[in-house]
Amino acid sequence: MAFVSAAPVAHTSRLVASSSACGWRQGGRVIAAPTLSLHRVTVRSLPSPVRRSRVAPRAAADSESVPPEEKEIPFEIRGFSLANVGLAFGFAITGYSFFTYFASNGTASATSLGFVYGVPVLLIGCALKYAELQPVPLTSTPTGLAAREAFATDIQKKIVSDVTRHRYGDEAHLAAALRALSLVPRGAAAPELVRAAETTTEQGEYSLALEFFSKETPFKTWVDVRERCERFFGPDVRAEVTKVDDEKRLVELKLISTRKA
């Protein structure tokens, strides 16, 4: 860290006392007594260091950015609930252990193994069931499915893949993206994705419609962040926001790919 001296060197004049000998007679002896004589000396004061302030560089780009890339998992579990599998195995092993215990009057050797493994598997299944997020129903047309393969962006394909499978530990589908877009009020729950549909526009563009139950987020907020949605889910995406049902608090966010063949 560099220091810059901004203070001038100051010279201060001070009076410093020094002693000189003088004497008085006592009992035939001369006793020297100190006397004070004043001398003017100059004291040079040290400069006060001034810390050079470091100014944080301003961000050159806008604070809004594309969604953070998630680490790709080597496989995905689709078509069944992992929580249901854990519950089924846990109940089966634990139930078999109880049956063999009472049937053999506690002498069966497999009883203890069933309790050791069956109860933990049952508890894991219960925990997964509590944290499970059901997949969202996806409505697709033949033209929409073909347009997804031809014109959909990577982010659109990832959204379809994520919302149509069981998830565990998430608050809601696309909850992280909704929070980044300021669509989740402070202390409120994230809008709930209830339906997804993929179609094509009149111009043949791929369109992914996401319908949310927006209980806490007003429709005006959705309209205000429409352009941010285009940057967030882009590039090559145009966003449209539509109020589906005011009483049921349903809002549709449509992500339309602008890619051409």
Side-chain angles (χ1 to χ4, degrees):
M1 184 68 67
F3 294 93
V4 176
S5 176
V9 178
H11 297 79
T12 304
S13 296
R14 297 181 181 177
L15 295 179
V16 179
S18 63
S19 62
S20 61
C22 66
W24 68 88
R25 187 177 299 276
Q26 182 179 1
R29 294 184 305 168
V30 176
I31 301 177
T35 60
L36 297 179
S37 62
L38 299 180
H39 302 276
R40 185 175 297 275
V41 297
T42 301
V43 180
R44 184 186 299 270
S45 61
L46 295 177
S48 58
V50 177
R51 187 181 300 271
R52 178 180 296 174
S53 60
R54 291 184 177 180
V55 181
R58 299 178 58 183
D62 190 19
S63 58
E64 300 167 4
S65 59
V66 297
E69 297 182 358
E70 298 180 0
K71 184 178 180 180
E72 295 293 338
I73 56 177
F75 63 92
E76 291 183 356
I77 300 177
R78 289 185 173 274
F80 65 93
S81 171
L82 187 62
N84 292 339
V85 174
L87 288 175
F89 273 101
F91 274 119
I93 297 174
T94 305
Y96 175 77
S97 301
F98 274 104
F99 174 77
T100 54
Y101 177 81
F102 290 108
S104 63
N105 294 325
T107 59
S109 59
T111 302
S112 59
L113 295 178
F115 283 116
V116 169
Y117 294 104
V119 174
V121 172
L122 182 61
L123 293 178
I124 292 175
C126 292
L128 289 176
K129 194 65 178 178
Y130 177 78
E132 186 178 64
L133 194 61
Q134 294 291 331
V136 175
L138 174 66
T139 304
S140 181
T141 61
T143 56
L145 183 59
R148 188 214 302 174
E149 298 297 330
F151 307 121
T153 64
D154 293 338
I155 293 180
Q156 286 177 316
K157 293 178 180 179
K158 184 170 180 58
I159 291 175
V160 174
S161 175
D162 286 346
V163 302
T164 55
R165 66 183 177 90
H166 292 85
R167 299 182 66 88
Y168 300 92
D170 294 340
E171 176 186 358
H173 287 289
L174 303 177
L178 296 176
R179 291 188 182 278
L181 291 169
S182 302
L183 287 171
V184 183
R186 185 183 300 273
E192 179 184 356
L193 181 62
V194 296
R195 186 180 67 89
E198 50 184 5
T199 57
T200 56
T201 63
E202 296 179 357
Q203 292 76 21
E205 300 169 319
Y206 173 75
S207 173
L208 177 61
L210 306 172
E211 187 174 312
F212 292 89
F213 171 59
S214 184
K215 181 179 180 181
E216 305 290 343
T217 307
F219 178 71
K220 183 180 181 301
T221 305
W222 288 88
V223 176
D224 293 340
V225 301
R226 184 194 62 81
E227 294 183 357
R228 293 179 59 187
C229 291
E230 295 180 350
R231 295 191 294 269
F232 189 85
F233 294 109
D236 302 329
V237 167
R238 183 176 74 255
E240 295 180 0
V241 178
T242 307
K243 182 184 294 186
V244 179
D245 194 318
D246 191 12
E247 295 182 357
K248 295 182 179 180
R249 311 284 293 179
L250 296 178
V251 177
E252 182 182 76
L253 173 63
K254 188 174 293 185
L255 302 176
I256 303 173
S257 174
T258 59
R259 290 182 176 178
K260 302 296 183 181

